[in-house]
Amino acid sequence: MSDTVSRRTVMKGAGATLGAAAFAHAMAPLTEWSKDLSVGEFLQKHYKELTRDEMGRILVHLKEETKRKYGRDVDIRDLPPQEGVSFGYALNLSVCIGCRKCAEACHQENNHDRRTGNSYIRVLEMQQGSLDLEHGNANYDHPVPAEGKYYMPVQCHQCDNAPCVKVCPVQATWKEADGVVVVDYNWCIGCRYCEAACPYHARRFNWAKPEIPAEEINPDQGYLSNRIRPQGVVEKCTFCLHRTRAGRLPACLEACPTGARVFGNLLDPKSPIRWVLENKRVFVLKEELGTRPRFFYFFDK
């Protein structure tokens, strides 16, 4: 991309690629989203083309905008990947009890819309002996754990061969050096192709402007992670990169009461995630698709 490329020029190219009818349908969400978008934001360059000074000005604008719209002072940073770090996540299905504390923590940490109760994590109640996600129940409302069941939290798997990245017509989503698949919410056009392409149903679409009381907003935010997303864009789990790139653990892991979650640097032979991969029989979901996830599952027995 040249320095003059904007969302507008990329959208024109996408329209030529997709065809008029398909493009018009895909762009429908932008009708509402653009009402809340400044000219500067609409013409903003792609994240990878922004200079340090340009990003600095954008962050100042986003902080001021959050204060104006939500009445809360926040700190929004653009944290780059750390050298020598490649993130991985594992989950022990033998000790997960289906309490959904991880989903609640995700909801709060990532400034999700309070009206919908959105979260990047779905916890599926599964029949023992089955790995068929299509028959998992994400809407159980009885005491847990239930007899004859086990529980499988599912979120973004940060695939090394990510279908969502391949289908994005404007390159609004990509894989970072530390393995995290990110979205530039100022560049996303809301076509939802990535949402349809994800085999793990891990992406969410903002149908309306998020509603969050000022006192509930998490002020510790990242440009590519948990800043409040505008209406009309797709969003996803980023392994809490605003935390993990600063040396902290994901919020979902800290909230887990049973220690089912394991996170760390795959390149560090002494990391907890490496111990799991080297000492447990791990598996990934839908391995036959060749997505090469960085999210692993295992049982103790």
Side-chain angles (χ1 to χ4, degrees), residues 77-226:
R77 296 173 293 167
D78 177 36
L79 293 174
Q82 302 175 25
E83 290 189 14
V85 173
S86 184
F87 289 129
Y89 213 136
L91 203 147
N92 187 346
L93 297 175
S94 295
V95 299
C96 177
I97 58 174
C99 65
R100 296 193 182 106
K101 293 295 184 183
C102 55
E104 294 174 10
C106 175
H107 175 75
Q108 296 167 5
E109 181 71 27
N110 289 290
N111 293 310
H112 285 293
D113 175 54
R114 298 305 193 247
R115 177 178 52 84
T116 59
N118 195 9
S119 174
Y120 296 141
I121 301 173
R122 291 182 304 137
V123 182
L124 302 179
E125 184 175 68
M126 306 284 289
Q127 189 69 35
Q128 286 184 357
S130 171
L131 287 174
D132 186 354
L133 297 186
E134 305 309 318
H135 288 88
N137 177 18
N139 300 309
Y140 56 89
D141 59 0
H142 52 74
V144 293
E147 186 176 353
K149 307 290 185 179
Y150 75 95
Y151 299 87
M152 176 179 285
V154 181
Q155 58 200 78
C156 178
H157 289 212
Q158 317 297 349
C159 305
D160 284 340
N161 184 28
C164 56
V165 171
K166 293 180 179 180
V167 301
C168 179
V170 297
Q171 301 175 39
T173 183
W174 65 92
K175 192 170 187 65
E176 295 263 272
D178 57 4
V180 179
V181 176
V182 297
V183 180
D184 183 350
Y185 306 115
N186 278 34
W187 190 262
C188 175
I189 58 176
C191 69
R192 301 174 64 199
Y193 282 16
C194 61
E195 185 180 22
C198 176
Y200 307 107
H201 308 291
R203 291 192 171 228
R204 308 287 183 267
F205 183 73
N206 254 352
W207 289 99
K209 175 184 175 182
E211 298 178 7
I212 316 174
E215 65 275 12
E216 296 182 16
I217 292 175
N218 176 9
D220 178 20
Q221 301 179 13
Y223 181 85
L224 292 173
S225 55
N226 67 331

